[in-house]
Amino acid sequence: MEIEKTIDGKTAYLKISGRLDTVSSPDLEKVLSELTSEDEVILDFEKLEYISSAGLRVLLLAHKNFAKKSGLTVKNVCDAVMDVFKVTGFDDVLTIK
């Protein structure tokens, strides 16, 4: 997995590519935990191919942390990842555009 981070004011943009799984999810969790002065996070999943339950756990934690601020948004979700979101109910929890 690769993470490309851009900060614009109080908004963090993270482009995630590859696989978000047991091996890579700690990397995303670390990057998200370092976003202490940002109020909003936008995750661009255009190049994310796969997400596991470990990746879902990181998203849920980030959703809870940023819900206290301006929020967390996921965009450009591929069909395979969207299927996982739908099966797990994450499509009802996350803001997906």
Side-chain angles (χ1 to χ4, degrees), residues 10-92:
K10 292 283 187 178
T11 303
Y13 298 90
L14 302 178
K15 290 184 179 183
I16 313 296
S17 60
R19 297 172 55 89
L20 182 53
D21 54 22
T22 304
V23 173
S24 61
S25 62
D27 297 336
L28 179 58
E29 187 171 11
K30 182 178 184 296
V31 170
L32 289 166
S33 70
E34 293 170 349
L35 300 175
T36 55
S37 61
E38 288 74 19
D39 291 335
E40 178 182 24
V41 175
I42 298 174
L43 299 175
D44 188 339
F45 280 1
E46 181 178 13
K47 295 183 180 178
L48 184 70
E49 302 162 358
Y50 172 82
I51 189 166
S52 73
S53 60
L56 292 174
R57 184 191 65 78
V58 172
L59 290 183
L60 186 59
L61 180 63
H63 170 73
K64 288 180 180 178
N65 289 338
F66 285 95
K68 302 170 191 169
K69 299 180 180 184
S70 295
L72 174 107
T73 302
V74 181
K75 67 178 195 173
N76 299 323
V77 180
C78 73
D79 291 340
V81 173
M82 185 58 83
D83 287 345
V84 173
F85 286 166
K86 288 179 181 177
V87 167
T88 59
F90 271 65
D91 61 329
D92 292 328

